[in-house]
Each structure stands twice: as C-alpha cells, then as structure tokens.
Amino acid sequence: VISLVENRQGDYKKILGELFPKTGKAFLLGITGPPGAGKSTVTDRLIAKLRAQSKRVAVVAIDPSSPFTGGAILGDRIRMQAHVGDDGVYIRSLGTRGKHGGLSHAAKDIATVLDAAGFDWVIIETAGVGQTELDILRLAHGIAVVLVPESGDGIQMMKAGLMEIADVFAVNKCDRPESDKIVREIMNTIGIGESLAGAQGGRWVVPVVKTEALHDKGIDELLKAIVDYYQYAVQSGHLDRKRKTFIRDEIIEILIEDLRYKSLSFFSTAPGQALIENVFLKKISPLEAATKVK
Amino acid sequence: VISLVENRQGDYKKILGELFPKTGKAFLLGITGPPGAGKSTVTDRLIAKLRAQSKRVAVVAIDPSSPFTGGAILGDRIRMQAHVGDDGVYIRSLGTRGKHGGLSHAAKDIATVLDAAGFDWVIIETAGVGQTELDILRLAHGIAVVLVPESGDGIQMMKAGLMEIADVFAVNKCDRPESDKIVREIMNTIGIGESLAGAQGGRWVVPVVKTEALHDKGIDELLKAIVDYYQYAVQSGHLDRKRKTFIRDEIIEILIEDLRYKSLSFFSTAPGQALIENVFLKKISPLEAATKVK
C-alpha cells in the first residue's frame, strides 16, 4: 500500500479513504537537523527505547536527493539495519522523486497508512535545510531538532528555520568541546534557563537535552522530553488545533495536486500548446492565459 | 511596482499584464552555490564587467531566512553597495515572507518587471540548497554555479542538485589549496576534458572556470563562458523551449495561487470550519472533503 501511495498508483486514493477512519492514534514525531548531526543514530536509539516499552515504531526517512535525477542517496539508512527482523519496527526511505510539492504530500499519505496500520509512533526523519523539508515537518505533531556543537552558529540555525519549529532540542555528540556553548546559545535564543523547560503555565518551554547517541547517553532524557511535549500538546488542546490545521492544508494540497495534474494534461493537447504559443508571441499575458485553461 | 508585486498588493496583476508585452529582451542569469562560496562577490564583479560594456544590470538576491518569522538576513547584500548611485544597476533583496511557493512566484514576477524596465541582464542570486531555491532557479535562462575548493564533496553537490542545473561552473577562491582537485572532480562528474567545454556540435559542454573574485581574477573568463552559453541557447532553440516551459509552469502557478487563496477564504467561513470538523471527527475523509470545497 505504501508503494502505491508513494508512486500515486492504482486505487491509492480509494485505499487512503478507507484507511482514514482508522487513523488518529499515532504520534507523529519529526526529527530534523543539519547533515552530520547524527539524526539517524538518535532515531535508532529512540526506536530501541520505544521498543523496550513495547511501542510499535515506524520511520519515514526523507533522503536528500536531486529533484532532477530522482535518485535517492540511501547511505544513512543502512545504519538502522539493527532493527531488521523486528516486526514492531518499520523503516521506509523516501526520495524526492515526486513532482513539485509531491514529496510532502506522499510523506503525509504514508504517515496516514502507518498510523492506520497501528504504529504507536511514526517518526519522520529529514535534514531540515530547505522549504521541502520544512513542509514535510509541518505534518509532525512534535519536532525534535538535533544539533551538534559545531552547528553552534545562531545565524545558520535561524536561516534554516530550525529555531522556530523545535519542540525539543537535542545537542548530540556532546562529548565534543563547545557543547556547553551551543546549549547556552540555544537557551539564550529561546530566552530561558534550563530549570524552566517543559510545560509551564499552559505554554511549552522548549527543553534542550544533551545526548551522545553513539554511546546511548541522554536518550532516556530526550525521550522523556518528547513524551512530556506529547502530553502537553494533548492536554492544552494544541495537538487538536494542529491536526485541524493539517486537515485544512491537506485538503488544499489534494485540490492543488488535482489542478496540477489536469493542467499538465491540458498543456499536452493541441489547444494547450496553442495557448502557450500565444503567450510566447505575447498575444496574451500568462494571467489571461490562466483563465483559458480547461 | 516591484513592492506591489512582492507584496501581492493593489493592481499588481493588472500591471503585470500591461508590462508583459514589453518583456522578453533580458537575459535571466541564475547564480547559485553553497553559503560562503562568494556568490555576492562574483555577482558584484560581473556587474562591474557588464557596466563597462554599458549593459544595464538588475540583481534579485534571494535571502535565506526563516519561513516562520518572515525576517530576512540581509548581511551579504551590504557588499554590493559599491554600485549604489549607478542608475544602470538595480539591486533588490527578497526574503521568504511569502506563502508556500509564493517566493518563486514573486521572484518570477519581479524579473518580469525588471525585464520590462529595460535591464539587459537580470541576475537572480540565491543559495542553492533547497527546493525553494531550485524552484526559483527554474526561471533563469542560464545558471552559473559558484563553488569553492572546500565544497569539493561530490555527494554534497549532488544532494544539493547543483550538478544537474549548472550551465557554467565557477570555482571561486581558487588561490586556496585543493582548487585543482575540485575542478577535476567537477570535470569527472560531467565526464569531459577542459578543452571540450562550450558549444560542441549542437550540445553544450559545461565549462569550469577558476575565479578569485575578491581579486577580480577569472571574471572576464567567467563572463565569456556565460555569454557563450547565452549565444548557444539562442542559436540552438534551447532558450525558446525553456521560455515555453516557463510559460506553462507560470500559468499553472497562477492557477494554483488562485486556488490556494480561494480555498483559504472558504476555510475561514462557517461551512469551511464545519468541513474541517467533519474530517477531524472522521465522518468524511480529506479526499471526500476536497470535493466539497466551494
């Protein structure tokens, strides 16, 4: 079913409609951060902790790849092979082979399938550098941003839009020098002290957790911070509001995908080609032409 | 007019329609590359060379910024102040304050205005790391990718999609060690020797030019490579085909922008809210709901 959904094939729309009533139980956790921060290792360790609690965990790993060749670079995924053979773990890599905007839509639909399949946690892991990745993360209920001491450039993090989307920060590889510096930098940016992190009088103060995923250090604390956020989001009504915004955005995306498909079909016909030719010859403007697309 | 277009205000659509017949003369050059490669300095030097040829040059600089706060980080732009007071040079910075997909659409419209205003060259400068930036570069007639010796990681470049979109490569800061290594790497990836670069029997072989923009070295050669590409694109019919694809994509984007606007309006009404509530309560699926949007 996931392959059908990913490739927009067969009865996938009908299947999604049938699966939809079974959804709404999974927690969708986004994990992001700059390349090399150790996101896959952190994810791997979180899976182990969640499995120890008998939670079923699915991972959708979004691979950075060229939008032109459609080829995904799968290197990082290999590290997660530790969980191969465990029925309670499902890992799926997604390349950017989709059309413009198609990847975030496919990721959303795959999360829907995994939710319906009964996974307790669906982790969406992606390198948070571009608009596509941020679009994908919009479907998450909570977002953990993984940084490393070397990524301690406040401006760079702001550029990547990571500061605003984080519900929990993990400073990974914290055995390295400078790790306290980045923790302080993040806290300064958020504007709070460590003791205040967590749910505080109806609002959420983003915790900053130090981890060393390779040696399994700090992962219990990270998972606790994430679970705390989850509970806060449920109790404050934040999660429901988020879900409704997602629903709105998803409906709009469905409409856009449909419009794009129909328009491309039209432009491959003779009247469509003639319309482009008329704009090219400046007989009509693109805006006028838009009113004539069938 | 550019402010109206950027902010989607007033009669901007009408104005764009009126300007459209005056367009089609400018060469739209995209300049991209990883942060720190020296794109702004290269652009600055190219402007000086083009001004010496009495060409009028406009620059649209796309600033990396957060999609959440809408704030643009304008630091890099300050370097281009050398051209302040020159009527033949226009420089505009664009943040990502737009909605999803809005930035590339605004950039396209601003390029249209600058083209109609009689600029011979419109340079679109952007950090080529994400889908948004790649979408923006789609509107360019030719693309120069600026790299530095330190960016000599083939995988990283492929990930960023830079290899496929380049019409000309500049290896900047080539006084640094490792500069020959990256030149060789790029050539190996392209699969040719230096002597074959340029228009070759109806196809374009991407040239790799060594520059040291800070000391104005190699900029003449870089400009020549870009102008050669321009001439090749005109003569081969490649530019016309590109323009027609852009027209098609622009019309589709206009339709999508319109659909998004109308849908968001609908969802702010009571029937729209009720529709979201019904999906939230799983009475209907998002796909069904999409058929009911007015």
Side-chain angles (χ1 to χ4, degrees):
Chain A
V1 169
I2 287 174
S3 295
L4 286 181
V5 165
E6 183 182 352
N7 300 314
R8 274 42 198 133
Q9 281 171 340
D11 277 345
Y12 83 93
K13 287 193 180 186
K14 189 163 159 277
I15 296 168
L16 282 173
E18 283 166 13
L19 290 178
F20 179 73
K22 297 185 204 291
T23 63
K25 277 163 241 141
F27 179 59
L28 272 53
L29 171 67
I31 295 185
T32 190
K39 294 179 293 295
S40 294
T41 313
V42 168
T43 303
D44 177 73
R45 300 300 174 176
L46 285 173
I47 293 171
K49 301 285 177 193
L50 289 164
R51 289 302 295 144
Q53 297 174 18
S54 301
K55 302 290 184 193
R56 297 185 65 211
V57 188
V59 178
V60 183
I62 316 285
D63 277 290
S65 77
S66 161
F68 292 87
T69 60
I73 297 156
L74 298 169
D76 278 1
R77 301 288 83 72
I78 292 161
R79 263 182 287 157
M80 287 198 219
Q81 283 187 346
H83 305 287
V84 168
D86 178 351
D87 282 347
V89 178
Y90 178 88
I91 296 172
R92 179 79 173 203
S93 287
L94 256 191
T96 63
R97 80 195 74 178
K99 296 265 171 23
H100 174 113
L103 186 61
S104 52
H105 204 66
K108 169 74 189 156
D109 290 341
I110 290 170
T112 298
V113 175
L114 293 166
D115 183 357
F119 285 97
D120 303 295
W121 288 59
V122 177
I123 298 178
I124 301 122
E125 189 205 313
T126 177
V129 285
Q131 189 59 50
T132 310
E133 290 81 6
L134 291 170
D135 283 345
I136 290 164
L137 289 169
R138 277 179 209 275
L139 71 87
H141 296 146
I143 295 176
V145 171
V146 182
L147 298 170
V148 274
E150 299 91 274
S151 48
D153 177 344
I155 295 284
Q156 289 300 330
M157 284 192 290
M158 279 196 291
K159 279 186 181 182
L162 295 180
M163 294 307 289
E164 293 93 339
I165 63 169
D167 298 310
V168 173
F169 275 108
V171 176
N172 195 33
K173 305 185 185 178
C174 71
D175 51 324
R176 296 199 187 169
E178 307 280 306
S179 72
D180 286 332
K181 187 165 165 277
I182 187 174
V183 170
R184 269 200 314 279
E185 261 190 33
I186 296 168
M187 286 188 167
N188 285 341
T189 311
I190 304 168
I192 47 104
E194 194 166 4
S195 58
L196 287 167
Q200 298 293 337
R203 74 185 194 98
W204 178 252
V205 180
V206 178
V208 185
V209 182
K210 289 171 79 169
T211 62
E212 211 182 310
L214 209 56
H215 304 108
D216 207 25
K217 287 187 189 165
I219 302 297
D220 283 320
E221 292 78 1
L222 177 60
L223 184 58
K224 183 183 180 303
I226 294 167
V227 171
D228 282 353
Y229 175 76
Y230 186 7
Q231 286 169 354
Y232 156 79
V234 171
Q235 284 159 15
S236 64
H238 196 61
L239 192 58
D240 279 355
R241 281 194 299 279
K242 233 176 211 181
R243 284 199 164 113
K244 286 180 188 177
T245 305
F246 294 166
I247 287 168
R248 184 198 69 186
D249 292 347
E250 195 187 347
I251 296 170
I252 294 176
E253 283 304 319
I254 290 167
L255 291 169
I256 287 174
E257 201 174 349
D258 189 51
L259 173 65
R260 197 187 302 275
Y261 179 80
K262 283 181 183 157
S263 301
L264 285 172
S265 301
F266 171 71
F267 284 124
S268 69
T269 66
Q273 291 287 326
L275 193 58
I276 290 173
E277 196 67 27
N278 280 335
V279 178
F280 182 73
L281 298 171
K282 303 203 185 302
K283 291 183 185 168
I284 59 169
S285 77
L287 277 164
E288 278 175 76
T291 66
K292 296 179 198 298
V293 173
K294 299 270 168 13
Chain B
V1 169
I2 286 173
S3 293
L4 286 180
V5 164
E6 183 181 352
N7 299 314
R8 275 37 199 139
Q9 281 172 340
D11 278 345
Y12 83 93
K13 287 193 181 186
K14 192 163 156 276
I15 295 168
L16 282 173
E18 284 165 14
L19 289 179
F20 178 73
K22 296 184 204 292
T23 62
K25 278 163 241 139
F27 179 59
L28 273 54
L29 172 67
I31 295 186
T32 191
K39 292 179 293 295
S40 295
T41 313
V42 167
T43 304
D44 179 73
R45 301 300 176 177
L46 286 173
I47 293 170
K49 301 286 179 193
L50 288 164
R51 290 302 294 143
Q53 297 173 19
S54 301
K55 302 288 185 195
R56 297 184 66 211
V57 188
V59 177
V60 183
I62 315 286
D63 278 289
S65 78
S66 160
F68 293 87
T69 62
I73 296 157
L74 298 170
D76 278 0
R77 300 289 85 69
I78 292 160
R79 265 180 286 156
M80 286 199 220
Q81 283 186 347
H83 304 287
V84 168
D86 179 349
D87 282 347
V89 178
Y90 178 88
I91 296 171
R92 180 79 173 202
S93 286
L94 258 191
T96 63
R97 79 196 74 180
K99 298 265 173 20
H100 175 113
L103 186 61
S104 53
H105 205 64
K108 168 75 188 157
D109 290 343
I110 289 170
T112 297
V113 175
L114 294 167
D115 184 356
F119 285 97
D120 303 297
W121 288 60
V122 176
I123 298 177
I124 302 121
E125 189 205 313
T126 178
V129 284
Q131 188 60 48
T132 310
E133 290 80 6
L134 292 171
D135 283 345
I136 290 163
L137 289 170
R138 277 179 211 274
L139 70 88
H141 297 146
I143 295 176
V145 171
V146 182
L147 298 170
V148 274
E150 299 89 274
S151 46
D153 178 344
I155 295 285
Q156 288 300 330
M157 286 193 288
M158 279 196 290
K159 278 186 181 181
L162 294 180
M163 294 308 290
E164 293 93 339
I165 63 168
D167 299 307
V168 173
F169 275 108
V171 176
N172 195 33
K173 305 184 184 178
C174 72
D175 52 323
R176 296 197 188 170
E178 307 279 307
S179 71
D180 285 332
K181 186 165 165 277
I182 187 176
V183 169
R184 267 200 315 278
E185 263 190 33
I186 297 168
M187 287 188 167
N188 285 342
T189 311
I190 304 169
I192 48 106
E194 194 166 3
S195 59
L196 286 168
Q200 298 292 340
R203 75 184 194 98
W204 178 252
V205 180
V206 178
V208 185
V209 182
K210 290 172 79 169
T211 62
E212 211 182 307
L214 210 57
H215 303 109
D216 206 25
K217 287 185 190 167
I219 303 298
D220 283 319
E221 291 78 2
L222 177 60
L223 184 58
K224 184 183 178 305
I226 294 167
V227 170
D228 282 353
Y229 175 76
Y230 187 4
Q231 286 169 352
Y232 156 79
V234 170
Q235 283 159 14
S236 65
H238 197 61
L239 192 57
D240 279 354
R241 280 194 299 278
K242 231 176 213 183
R243 284 199 165 112
K244 286 180 189 176
T245 305
F246 294 166
I247 287 169
R248 184 197 70 187
D249 292 347
E250 196 186 346
I251 296 170
I252 294 176
E253 282 306 317
I254 289 167
L255 291 170
I256 288 174
E257 201 173 348
D258 189 52
L259 172 66
R260 195 186 305 273
Y261 178 81
K262 283 181 183 157
S263 301
L264 285 172
S265 301
F266 170 72
F267 284 124
S268 68
T269 65
Q273 292 287 325
L275 193 58
I276 290 172
E277 196 67 29
N278 280 335
V279 178
F280 182 73
L281 298 171
K282 305 202 186 301
K283 293 181 184 169
I284 58 171
S285 78
L287 277 164
E288 278 175 77
T291 66
K292 296 179 199 296
V293 174
K294 297 270 167 18

